[in-house]
Amino acid sequence: KTDMTTEFGPEDKSLRMLSLFAKALKARGTTLMMIYLPSRGVMSQQYVQGPFDYEQAVEGYRAALARFRQQGVDAAPLDTLVGHTDGDFFLKRDMHWNQVGARATAKVVADYALRHYPFVRQLPKVEYTTQVAEYIPVDGIWHRAISQLCHQGYPAQYSYTTVTHPKDDLFGQDDTQPGIVLVGTSFSASVSQRANFEGYLKQSLSRDVLNVAMSGGEESGAWLEYLPTELFQKSPPKLVLWELPSHYTMKDKSLFRQLIPLVNNGCENKPLLLSKKVSLAPGAPSNELVFNQSLLSYPSRDLVMDMKLSDPDVHQMDVGIWYANGEQETLNVKQNKRANTGGRFVFNLSQDEYLGNQHFISLDLQKIISTKPSVELSLDVCEAGAPSSPAVATTHLTTTRSSS
């Protein structure tokens, strides 16, 4: 279904939130560039059969790229690859791209970045070389699914792997953080670098790239881990490349309401408007967490909630938010389960033009999913924006954060 779609891109509300996220990053000195990957249908015209409007799909994909740019978010012109790749773009029986797709995409991304961003050209130049490492059988996810469902298999597809390294080995001794960061999914993640996208990016850019992509992280996982770390908070990169397959549409209402305040690490190093600790019994009736007259004067869009739970395995909560006009909003705050967030939830209140201008009344915790009989919760409330002192993350994401 996602491979043969003719409609692409987030809805207008999600694009608006993406624009706010890009502006928040820009305020930290970081430019966001989308690597919005085309679908298999768009890139595999020669194999398409049945009732699929190929021309409409290509136009739909190009329209999605244009809509990103209309919101002030750069998007690599990957539509230029349509019909112009040297061989198949994707693996035969797996959702991921192959070496051809990764290499071609890296070239387009690098050419665009070097041409449009003077600060990229000013980053230290490093020459890289890429070599074939080995030929391996590819046990793709569709191959495995067919074997399980149909009790028969297909001959394995063999694909070569490559490795990329600096031509000058002394470069590896430099501890300077790269000015370019790659955020993304299993298409980019180091643990699944079968297609070596990271390596091809480095070679095409002639610049170092820090890869924080997360296999299985979906839209949010890599961001949720990366933004609160010292790597970002103390030294924001000049450029973040966000690789995202086009079947992701950013529909999760809590996605950018988490990412935007995490750009400034929630309430860390900020004056607190409210701070409290409570004990929770998962499954119990709703708990009123925030009701304070001192907060009534703040527009909802200006407030950030920063919660730390003693159970680091909690990745979802439902909160009810009351606004001064009498309206209530239920927000399902979801984290990718592969993201090691340590039980920390950071989110802001409504950012839309209607509720965002309303004054905040109260916030109730309606549900958390935990196997613990009791969970300790600490809550800080602060104003959105940059910290009052230089941003320093208080923890690495490998450390469990808990309240007592």
mmCIF file with all atom_site columns, all heavy atoms in Angstrom, residues 342-365:
data_model
loop_
_atom_site.group_PDB
_atom_site.id
_atom_site.type_symbol
_atom_site.label_atom_id
_atom_site.label_alt_id
_atom_site.label_comp_id
_atom_site.label_asym_id
_atom_site.label_entity_id
_atom_site.label_seq_id
_atom_site.pdbx_PDB_ins_code
_atom_site.Cartn_x
_atom_site.Cartn_y
_atom_site.Cartn_z
_atom_site.occupancy
_atom_site.B_iso_or_equiv
_atom_site.pdbx_formal_charge
_atom_site.auth_seq_id
_atom_site.auth_comp_id
_atom_site.auth_asym_id
_atom_site.auth_atom_id
_atom_site.pdbx_PDB_model_num
ATOM 1   N N   . GLY A 1 342 ? 14.819  6.976  29.448 1.00 0.00 ? 342 GLY A N   1
ATOM 2   C CA  . GLY A 1 342 ? 14.992  6.890  30.892 1.00 0.00 ? 342 GLY A CA  1
ATOM 3   C C   . GLY A 1 342 ? 13.775  7.307  31.700 1.00 0.00 ? 342 GLY A C   1
ATOM 4   O O   . GLY A 1 342 ? 13.904  7.697  32.857 1.00 0.00 ? 342 GLY A O   1
ATOM 5   N N   . GLY A 1 343 ? 12.580  7.233  31.124 1.00 0.00 ? 343 GLY A N   1
ATOM 6   C CA  . GLY A 1 343 ? 11.375  7.611  31.854 1.00 0.00 ? 343 GLY A CA  1
ATOM 7   C C   . GLY A 1 343 ? 11.100  9.103  31.859 1.00 0.00 ? 343 GLY A C   1
ATOM 8   O O   . GLY A 1 343 ? 10.264  9.570  32.620 1.00 0.00 ? 343 GLY A O   1
ATOM 9   N N   . ARG A 1 344 ? 11.781  9.843  30.998 1.00 0.00 ? 344 ARG A N   1
ATOM 10  C CA  . ARG A 1 344 ? 11.578  11.299 30.943 1.00 0.00 ? 344 ARG A CA  1
ATOM 11  C C   . ARG A 1 344 ? 10.618  11.655 29.804 1.00 0.00 ? 344 ARG A C   1
ATOM 12  O O   . ARG A 1 344 ? 10.771  11.191 28.674 1.00 0.00 ? 344 ARG A O   1
ATOM 13  C CB  . ARG A 1 344 ? 12.902  12.022 30.734 1.00 0.00 ? 344 ARG A CB  1
ATOM 14  C CG  . ARG A 1 344 ? 12.784  13.544 30.786 1.00 0.00 ? 344 ARG A CG  1
ATOM 15  C CD  . ARG A 1 344 ? 14.084  14.221 30.422 1.00 0.00 ? 344 ARG A CD  1
ATOM 16  N NE  . ARG A 1 344 ? 14.000  15.668 30.529 1.00 0.00 ? 344 ARG A NE  1
ATOM 17  C CZ  . ARG A 1 344 ? 14.847  16.515 29.980 1.00 0.00 ? 344 ARG A CZ  1
ATOM 18  N NH1 . ARG A 1 344 ? 15.878  16.057 29.272 1.00 0.00 ? 344 ARG A NH1 1
ATOM 19  N NH2 . ARG A 1 344 ? 14.690  17.810 30.119 1.00 0.00 ? 344 ARG A NH2 1
ATOM 20  N N   . PHE A 1 345 ? 9.644   12.494 30.117 1.00 0.00 ? 345 PHE A N   1
ATOM 21  C CA  . PHE A 1 345 ? 8.692   12.998 29.123 1.00 0.00 ? 345 PHE A CA  1
ATOM 22  C C   . PHE A 1 345 ? 8.737   14.521 29.132 1.00 0.00 ? 345 PHE A C   1
ATOM 23  O O   . PHE A 1 345 ? 8.510   15.151 30.171 1.00 0.00 ? 345 PHE A O   1
ATOM 24  C CB  . PHE A 1 345 ? 7.266   12.544 29.437 1.00 0.00 ? 345 PHE A CB  1
ATOM 25  C CG  . PHE A 1 345 ? 7.004   11.097 29.156 1.00 0.00 ? 345 PHE A CG  1
ATOM 26  C CD1 . PHE A 1 345 ? 7.430   10.112 30.032 1.00 0.00 ? 345 PHE A CD1 1
ATOM 27  C CD2 . PHE A 1 345 ? 6.328   10.706 28.004 1.00 0.00 ? 345 PHE A CD2 1
ATOM 28  C CE1 . PHE A 1 345 ? 7.187   8.767  29.777 1.00 0.00 ? 345 PHE A CE1 1
ATOM 29  C CE2 . PHE A 1 345 ? 6.075   9.369  27.739 1.00 0.00 ? 345 PHE A CE2 1
ATOM 30  C CZ  . PHE A 1 345 ? 6.515   8.397  28.629 1.00 0.00 ? 345 PHE A CZ  1
ATOM 31  N N   . VAL A 1 346 ? 9.040   15.105 27.988 1.00 0.00 ? 346 VAL A N   1
ATOM 32  C CA  . VAL A 1 346 ? 9.053   16.560 27.843 1.00 0.00 ? 346 VAL A CA  1
ATOM 33  C C   . VAL A 1 346 ? 8.093   16.915 26.713 1.00 0.00 ? 346 VAL A C   1
ATOM 34  O O   . VAL A 1 346 ? 8.182   16.358 25.622 1.00 0.00 ? 346 VAL A O   1
ATOM 35  C CB  . VAL A 1 346 ? 10.464  17.084 27.513 1.00 0.00 ? 346 VAL A CB  1
ATOM 36  C CG1 . VAL A 1 346 ? 10.441  18.589 27.270 1.00 0.00 ? 346 VAL A CG1 1
ATOM 37  C CG2 . VAL A 1 346 ? 11.441  16.739 28.631 1.00 0.00 ? 346 VAL A CG2 1
ATOM 38  N N   . PHE A 1 347 ? 7.174   17.816 26.970 1.00 0.00 ? 347 PHE A N   1
ATOM 39  C CA  . PHE A 1 347 ? 6.250   18.232 25.918 1.00 0.00 ? 347 PHE A CA  1
ATOM 40  C C   . PHE A 1 347 ? 5.717   19.627 26.220 1.00 0.00 ? 347 PHE A C   1
ATOM 41  O O   . PHE A 1 347 ? 5.732   20.080 27.367 1.00 0.00 ? 347 PHE A O   1
ATOM 42  C CB  . PHE A 1 347 ? 5.093   17.239 25.767 1.00 0.00 ? 347 PHE A CB  1
ATOM 43  C CG  . PHE A 1 347 ? 4.262   17.023 27.002 1.00 0.00 ? 347 PHE A CG  1
ATOM 44  C CD1 . PHE A 1 347 ? 3.115   17.776 27.236 1.00 0.00 ? 347 PHE A CD1 1
ATOM 45  C CD2 . PHE A 1 347 ? 4.623   16.065 27.936 1.00 0.00 ? 347 PHE A CD2 1
ATOM 46  C CE1 . PHE A 1 347 ? 2.344   17.567 28.378 1.00 0.00 ? 347 PHE A CE1 1
ATOM 47  C CE2 . PHE A 1 347 ? 3.866   15.846 29.081 1.00 0.00 ? 347 PHE A CE2 1
ATOM 48  C CZ  . PHE A 1 347 ? 2.722   16.609 29.306 1.00 0.00 ? 347 PHE A CZ  1
ATOM 49  N N   . ASN A 1 348 ? 5.289   20.297 25.185 1.00 0.00 ? 348 ASN A N   1
ATOM 50  C CA  . ASN A 1 348 ? 4.653   21.591 25.396 1.00 0.00 ? 348 ASN A CA  1
ATOM 51  C C   . ASN A 1 348 ? 3.150   21.474 25.185 1.00 0.00 ? 348 ASN A C   1
ATOM 52  O O   . ASN A 1 348 ? 2.643   20.446 24.719 1.00 0.00 ? 348 ASN A O   1
ATOM 53  C CB  . ASN A 1 348 ? 5.276   22.680 24.507 1.00 0.00 ? 348 ASN A CB  1
ATOM 54  C CG  . ASN A 1 348 ? 5.247   22.336 23.027 1.00 0.00 ? 348 ASN A CG  1
ATOM 55  O OD1 . ASN A 1 348 ? 4.470   21.497 22.585 1.00 0.00 ? 348 ASN A OD1 1
ATOM 56  N ND2 . ASN A 1 348 ? 6.098   22.978 22.254 1.00 0.00 ? 348 ASN A ND2 1
ATOM 57  N N   . LEU A 1 349 ? 2.457   22.543 25.540 1.00 0.00 ? 349 LEU A N   1
ATOM 58  C CA  . LEU A 1 349 ? 1.009   22.548 25.377 1.00 0.00 ? 349 LEU A CA  1
ATOM 59  C C   . LEU A 1 349 ? 0.667   22.956 23.953 1.00 0.00 ? 349 LEU A C   1
ATOM 60  O O   . LEU A 1 349 ? 1.548   23.110 23.112 1.00 0.00 ? 349 LEU A O   1
ATOM 61  C CB  . LEU A 1 349 ? 0.389   23.475 26.411 1.00 0.00 ? 349 LEU A CB  1
ATOM 62  C CG  . LEU A 1 349 ? 0.742   23.135 27.879 1.00 0.00 ? 349 LEU A CG  1
ATOM 63  C CD1 . LEU A 1 349 ? -0.019  24.033 28.836 1.00 0.00 ? 349 LEU A CD1 1
ATOM 64  C CD2 . LEU A 1 349 ? 0.471   21.668 28.195 1.00 0.00 ? 349 LEU A CD2 1
ATOM 65  N N   . SER A 1 350 ? -0.603  23.122 23.674 1.00 0.00 ? 350 SER A N   1
ATOM 66  C CA  . SER A 1 350 ? -1.042  23.333 22.297 1.00 0.00 ? 350 SER A CA  1
ATOM 67  C C   . SER A 1 350 ? -0.306  24.504 21.645 1.00 0.00 ? 350 SER A C   1
ATOM 68  O O   . SER A 1 350 ? -0.104  25.556 22.245 1.00 0.00 ? 350 SER A O   1
ATOM 69  C CB  . SER A 1 350 ? -2.547  23.591 22.266 1.00 0.00 ? 350 SER A CB  1
ATOM 70  O OG  . SER A 1 350 ? -2.978  23.796 20.943 1.00 0.00 ? 350 SER A OG  1
ATOM 71  N N   . GLN A 1 351 ? 0.086   24.287 20.400 1.00 0.00 ? 351 GLN A N   1
ATOM 72  C CA  . GLN A 1 351 ? 0.782   25.311 19.623 1.00 0.00 ? 351 GLN A CA  1
ATOM 73  C C   . GLN A 1 351 ? -0.074  25.856 18.484 1.00 0.00 ? 351 GLN A C   1
ATOM 74  O O   . GLN A 1 351 ? 0.407   26.650 17.680 1.00 0.00 ? 351 GLN A O   1
ATOM 75  C CB  . GLN A 1 351 ? 2.070   24.731 19.035 1.00 0.00 ? 351 GLN A CB  1
ATOM 76  C CG  . GLN A 1 351 ? 3.050   24.219 20.078 1.00 0.00 ? 351 GLN A CG  1
ATOM 77  C CD  . GLN A 1 351 ? 3.606   25.327 20.940 1.00 0.00 ? 351 GLN A CD  1
ATOM 78  O OE1 . GLN A 1 351 ? 4.314   26.214 20.466 1.00 0.00 ? 351 GLN A OE1 1
ATOM 79  N NE2 . GLN A 1 351 ? 3.273   25.299 22.226 1.00 0.00 ? 351 GLN A NE2 1
ATOM 80  N N   . ASP A 1 352 ? -1.336  25.424 18.408 1.00 0.00 ? 352 ASP A N   1
ATOM 81  C CA  . ASP A 1 352 ? -2.148  25.919 17.305 1.00 0.00 ? 352 ASP A CA  1
ATOM 82  C C   . ASP A 1 352 ? -2.648  27.338 17.587 1.00 0.00 ? 352 ASP A C   1
ATOM 83  O O   . ASP A 1 352 ? -2.525  27.850 18.699 1.00 0.00 ? 352 ASP A O   1
ATOM 84  C CB  . ASP A 1 352 ? -3.300  24.957 16.981 1.00 0.00 ? 352 ASP A CB  1
ATOM 85  C CG  . ASP A 1 352 ? -4.335  24.851 18.098 1.00 0.00 ? 352 ASP A CG  1
ATOM 86  O OD1 . ASP A 1 352 ? -4.541  25.835 18.824 1.00 0.00 ? 352 ASP A OD1 1
ATOM 87  O OD2 . ASP A 1 352 ? -4.933  23.775 18.242 1.00 0.00 ? 352 ASP A OD2 1
ATOM 88  N N   . GLU A 1 353 ? -3.188  27.963 16.582 1.00 0.00 ? 353 GLU A N   1
ATOM 89  C CA  . GLU A 1 353 ? -3.565  29.367 16.689 1.00 0.00 ? 353 GLU A CA  1
ATOM 90  C C   . GLU A 1 353 ? -4.743  29.577 17.636 1.00 0.00 ? 353 GLU A C   1
ATOM 91  O O   . GLU A 1 353 ? -4.942  30.685 18.138 1.00 0.00 ? 353 GLU A O   1
ATOM 92  C CB  . GLU A 1 353 ? -3.900  29.921 15.301 1.00 0.00 ? 353 GLU A CB  1
ATOM 93  C CG  . GLU A 1 353 ? -2.704  29.938 14.353 1.00 0.00 ? 353 GLU A CG  1
ATOM 94  C CD  . GLU A 1 353 ? -3.061  30.469 12.985 1.00 0.00 ? 353 GLU A CD  1
ATOM 95  O OE1 . GLU A 1 353 ? -4.257  30.766 12.772 1.00 0.00 ? 353 GLU A OE1 1
ATOM 96  O OE2 . GLU A 1 353 ? -2.163  30.573 12.141 1.00 0.00 ? 353 GLU A OE2 1
ATOM 97  N N   . TYR A 1 354 ? -5.514  28.537 17.882 1.00 0.00 ? 354 TYR A N   1
ATOM 98  C CA  . TYR A 1 354 ? -6.699  28.672 18.737 1.00 0.00 ? 354 TYR A CA  1
ATOM 99  C C   . TYR A 1 354 ? -6.361  28.390 20.196 1.00 0.00 ? 354 TYR A C   1
ATOM 100 O O   . TYR A 1 354 ? -6.320  29.300 21.030 1.00 0.00 ? 354 TYR A O   1
ATOM 101 C CB  . TYR A 1 354 ? -7.796  27.737 18.230 1.00 0.00 ? 354 TYR A CB  1
ATOM 102 C CG  . TYR A 1 354 ? -9.056  27.753 19.067 1.00 0.00 ? 354 TYR A CG  1
ATOM 103 C CD1 . TYR A 1 354 ? -9.702  28.953 19.361 1.00 0.00 ? 354 TYR A CD1 1
ATOM 104 C CD2 . TYR A 1 354 ? -9.591  26.571 19.559 1.00 0.00 ? 354 TYR A CD2 1
ATOM 105 C CE1 . TYR A 1 354 ? -10.861 28.967 20.119 1.00 0.00 ? 354 TYR A CE1 1
ATOM 106 C CE2 . TYR A 1 354 ? -10.747 26.573 20.318 1.00 0.00 ? 354 TYR A CE2 1
ATOM 107 C CZ  . TYR A 1 354 ? -11.379 27.771 20.599 1.00 0.00 ? 354 TYR A CZ  1
ATOM 108 O OH  . TYR A 1 354 ? -12.516 27.778 21.360 1.00 0.00 ? 354 TYR A OH  1
ATOM 109 N N   . LEU A 1 355 ? -6.062  27.129 20.508 1.00 0.00 ? 355 LEU A N   1
ATOM 110 C CA  . LEU A 1 355 ? -5.803  26.774 21.901 1.00 0.00 ? 355 LEU A CA  1
ATOM 111 C C   . LEU A 1 355 ? -4.467  27.326 22.397 1.00 0.00 ? 355 LEU A C   1
ATOM 112 O O   . LEU A 1 355 ? -4.313  27.598 23.587 1.00 0.00 ? 355 LEU A O   1
ATOM 113 C CB  . LEU A 1 355 ? -5.830  25.254 22.071 1.00 0.00 ? 355 LEU A CB  1
ATOM 114 C CG  . LEU A 1 355 ? -7.199  24.571 21.978 1.00 0.00 ? 355 LEU A CG  1
ATOM 115 C CD1 . LEU A 1 355 ? -7.055  23.079 22.165 1.00 0.00 ? 355 LEU A CD1 1
ATOM 116 C CD2 . LEU A 1 355 ? -8.167  25.149 23.003 1.00 0.00 ? 355 LEU A CD2 1
ATOM 117 N N   . GLY A 1 356 ? -3.508  27.504 21.486 1.00 0.00 ? 356 GLY A N   1
ATOM 118 C CA  . GLY A 1 356 ? -2.210  28.006 21.917 1.00 0.00 ? 356 GLY A CA  1
ATOM 119 C C   . GLY A 1 356 ? -2.277  29.393 22.540 1.00 0.00 ? 356 GLY A C   1
ATOM 120 O O   . GLY A 1 356 ? -1.429  29.751 23.366 1.00 0.00 ? 356 GLY A O   1
ATOM 121 N N   . ASN A 1 357 ? -3.271  30.172 22.153 1.00 0.00 ? 357 ASN A N   1
ATOM 122 C CA  . ASN A 1 357 ? -3.425  31.518 22.712 1.00 0.00 ? 357 ASN A CA  1
ATOM 123 C C   . ASN A 1 357 ? -4.276  31.539 23.970 1.00 0.00 ? 357 ASN A C   1
ATOM 124 O O   . ASN A 1 357 ? -4.401  32.592 24.620 1.00 0.00 ? 357 ASN A O   1
ATOM 125 C CB  . ASN A 1 357 ? -4.033  32.453 21.666 1.00 0.00 ? 357 ASN A CB  1
ATOM 126 C CG  . ASN A 1 357 ? -3.058  32.766 20.546 1.00 0.00 ? 357 ASN A CG  1
ATOM 127 O OD1 . ASN A 1 357 ? -1.867  32.938 20.795 1.00 0.00 ? 357 ASN A OD1 1
ATOM 128 N ND2 . ASN A 1 357 ? -3.548  32.816 19.310 1.00 0.00 ? 357 ASN A ND2 1
ATOM 129 N N   . GLN A 1 358 ? -4.902  30.397 24.290 1.00 0.00 ? 358 GLN A N   1
ATOM 130 C CA  . GLN A 1 358 ? -5.710  30.313 25.499 1.00 0.00 ? 358 GLN A CA  1
ATOM 131 C C   . GLN A 1 358 ? -4.806  30.168 26.725 1.00 0.00 ? 358 GLN A C   1
ATOM 132 O O   . GLN A 1 358 ? -3.712  29.605 26.644 1.00 0.00 ? 358 GLN A O   1
ATOM 133 C CB  . GLN A 1 358 ? -6.662  29.117 25.418 1.00 0.00 ? 358 GLN A CB  1
ATOM 134 C CG  . GLN A 1 358 ? -7.683  29.209 24.306 1.00 0.00 ? 358 GLN A CG  1
ATOM 135 C CD  . GLN A 1 358 ? -8.664  30.343 24.525 1.00 0.00 ? 358 GLN A CD  1
ATOM 136 O OE1 . GLN A 1 358 ? -9.086  30.607 25.661 1.00 0.00 ? 358 GLN A OE1 1
ATOM 137 N NE2 . GLN A 1 358 ? -9.026  31.032 23.443 1.00 0.00 ? 358 GLN A NE2 1
ATOM 138 N N   . HIS A 1 359 ? -5.269  30.675 27.848 1.00 0.00 ? 359 HIS A N   1
ATOM 139 C CA  . HIS A 1 359 ? -4.509  30.513 29.076 1.00 0.00 ? 359 HIS A CA  1
ATOM 140 C C   . HIS A 1 359 ? -4.704  29.108 29.630 1.00 0.00 ? 359 HIS A C   1
ATOM 141 O O   . HIS A 1 359 ? -5.760  28.495 29.479 1.00 0.00 ? 359 HIS A O   1
ATOM 142 C CB  . HIS A 1 359 ? -4.923  31.566 30.105 1.00 0.00 ? 359 HIS A CB  1
ATOM 143 C CG  . HIS A 1 359 ? -4.479  32.953 29.727 1.00 0.00 ? 359 HIS A CG  1
ATOM 144 N ND1 . HIS A 1 359 ? -3.203  33.402 29.943 1.00 0.00 ? 359 HIS A ND1 1
ATOM 145 C CD2 . HIS A 1 359 ? -5.146  33.963 29.130 1.00 0.00 ? 359 HIS A CD2 1
ATOM 146 C CE1 . HIS A 1 359 ? -3.089  34.637 29.497 1.00 0.00 ? 359 HIS A CE1 1
ATOM 147 N NE2 . HIS A 1 359 ? -4.258  35.003 28.994 1.00 0.00 ? 359 HIS A NE2 1
ATOM 148 N N   . PHE A 1 360 ? -3.667  28.624 30.268 1.00 0.00 ? 360 PHE A N   1
ATOM 149 C CA  . PHE A 1 360 ? -3.652  27.266 30.806 1.00 0.00 ? 360 PHE A CA  1
ATOM 150 C C   . PHE A 1 360 ? -4.363  27.217 32.156 1.00 0.00 ? 360 PHE A C   1
ATOM 151 O O   . PHE A 1 360 ? -4.204  28.103 32.994 1.00 0.00 ? 360 PHE A O   1
ATOM 152 C CB  . PHE A 1 360 ? -2.189  26.828 30.959 1.00 0.00 ? 360 PHE A CB  1
ATOM 153 C CG  . PHE A 1 360 ? -1.998  25.568 31.756 1.00 0.00 ? 360 PHE A CG  1
ATOM 154 C CD1 . PHE A 1 360 ? -2.315  24.337 31.219 1.00 0.00 ? 360 PHE A CD1 1
ATOM 155 C CD2 . PHE A 1 360 ? -1.490  25.626 33.043 1.00 0.00 ? 360 PHE A CD2 1
ATOM 156 C CE1 . PHE A 1 360 ? -2.117  23.178 31.948 1.00 0.00 ? 360 PHE A CE1 1
ATOM 157 C CE2 . PHE A 1 360 ? -1.292  24.474 33.781 1.00 0.00 ? 360 PHE A CE2 1
ATOM 158 C CZ  . PHE A 1 360 ? -1.609  23.244 33.238 1.00 0.00 ? 360 PHE A CZ  1
ATOM 159 N N   . ILE A 1 361 ? -5.154  26.164 32.369 1.00 0.00 ? 361 ILE A N   1
ATOM 160 C CA  . ILE A 1 361 ? -5.845  25.973 33.647 1.00 0.00 ? 361 ILE A CA  1
ATOM 161 C C   . ILE A 1 361 ? -5.230  24.827 34.449 1.00 0.00 ? 361 ILE A C   1
ATOM 162 O O   . ILE A 1 361 ? -4.749  25.014 35.565 1.00 0.00 ? 361 ILE A O   1
ATOM 163 C CB  . ILE A 1 361 ? -7.354  25.692 33.418 1.00 0.00 ? 361 ILE A CB  1
ATOM 164 C CG1 . ILE A 1 361 ? -8.021  26.902 32.769 1.00 0.00 ? 361 ILE A CG1 1
ATOM 165 C CG2 . ILE A 1 361 ? -8.031  25.377 34.758 1.00 0.00 ? 361 ILE A CG2 1
ATOM 166 C CD1 . ILE A 1 361 ? -8.060  28.144 33.621 1.00 0.00 ? 361 ILE A CD1 1
ATOM 167 N N   . SER A 1 362 ? -5.234  23.623 33.881 1.00 0.00 ? 362 SER A N   1
ATOM 168 C CA  . SER A 1 362 ? -4.731  22.479 34.648 1.00 0.00 ? 362 SER A CA  1
ATOM 169 C C   . SER A 1 362 ? -4.333  21.339 33.721 1.00 0.00 ? 362 SER A C   1
ATOM 170 O O   . SER A 1 362 ? -4.713  21.309 32.537 1.00 0.00 ? 362 SER A O   1
ATOM 171 C CB  . SER A 1 362 ? -5.796  21.981 35.645 1.00 0.00 ? 362 SER A CB  1
ATOM 172 O OG  . SER A 1 362 ? -6.907  21.421 34.950 1.00 0.00 ? 362 SER A OG  1
ATOM 173 N N   . LEU A 1 363 ? -3.581  20.389 34.302 1.00 0.00 ? 363 LEU A N   1
ATOM 174 C CA  . LEU A 1 363 ? -3.170  19.194 33.568 1.00 0.00 ? 363 LEU A CA  1
ATOM 175 C C   . LEU A 1 363 ? -3.379  17.981 34.465 1.00 0.00 ? 363 LEU A C   1
ATOM 176 O O   . LEU A 1 363 ? -2.951  17.969 35.626 1.00 0.00 ? 363 LEU A O   1
ATOM 177 C CB  . LEU A 1 363 ? -1.705  19.297 33.146 1.00 0.00 ? 363 LEU A CB  1
ATOM 178 C CG  . LEU A 1 363 ? -1.138  18.112 32.351 1.00 0.00 ? 363 LEU A CG  1
ATOM 179 C CD1 . LEU A 1 363 ? -0.209  18.613 31.246 1.00 0.00 ? 363 LEU A CD1 1
ATOM 180 C CD2 . LEU A 1 363 ? -0.377  17.142 33.262 1.00 0.00 ? 363 LEU A CD2 1
ATOM 181 N N   . ASP A 1 364 ? -4.057  16.964 33.923 1.00 0.00 ? 364 ASP A N   1
ATOM 182 C CA  . ASP A 1 364 ? -4.297  15.708 34.628 1.00 0.00 ? 364 ASP A CA  1
ATOM 183 C C   . ASP A 1 364 ? -3.541  14.576 33.939 1.00 0.00 ? 364 ASP A C   1
ATOM 184 O O   . ASP A 1 364 ? -3.470  14.522 32.702 1.00 0.00 ? 364 ASP A O   1
ATOM 185 C CB  . ASP A 1 364 ? -5.789  15.352 34.629 1.00 0.00 ? 364 ASP A CB  1
ATOM 186 C CG  . ASP A 1 364 ? -6.647  16.421 35.268 1.00 0.00 ? 364 ASP A CG  1
ATOM 187 O OD1 . ASP A 1 364 ? -6.119  17.177 36.099 1.00 0.00 ? 364 ASP A OD1 1
ATOM 188 O OD2 . ASP A 1 364 ? -7.834  16.502 34.919 1.00 0.00 ? 364 ASP A OD2 1
ATOM 189 N N   . LEU A 1 365 ? -2.958  13.687 34.728 1.00 0.00 ? 365 LEU A N   1
ATOM 190 C CA  . LEU A 1 365 ? -2.381  12.468 34.174 1.00 0.00 ? 365 LEU A CA  1
ATOM 191 C C   . LEU A 1 365 ? -3.468  11.412 34.158 1.00 0.00 ? 365 LEU A C   1
ATOM 192 O O   . LEU A 1 365 ? -3.940  10.967 35.208 1.00 0.00 ? 365 LEU A O   1
ATOM 193 C CB  . LEU A 1 365 ? -1.194  11.997 35.016 1.00 0.00 ? 365 LEU A CB  1
ATOM 194 C CG  . LEU A 1 365 ? -0.521  10.707 34.553 1.00 0.00 ? 365 LEU A CG  1
ATOM 195 C CD1 . LEU A 1 365 ? 0.044   10.859 33.155 1.00 0.00 ? 365 LEU A CD1 1
ATOM 196 C CD2 . LEU A 1 365 ? 0.568   10.289 35.525 1.00 0.00 ? 365 LEU A CD2 1
#
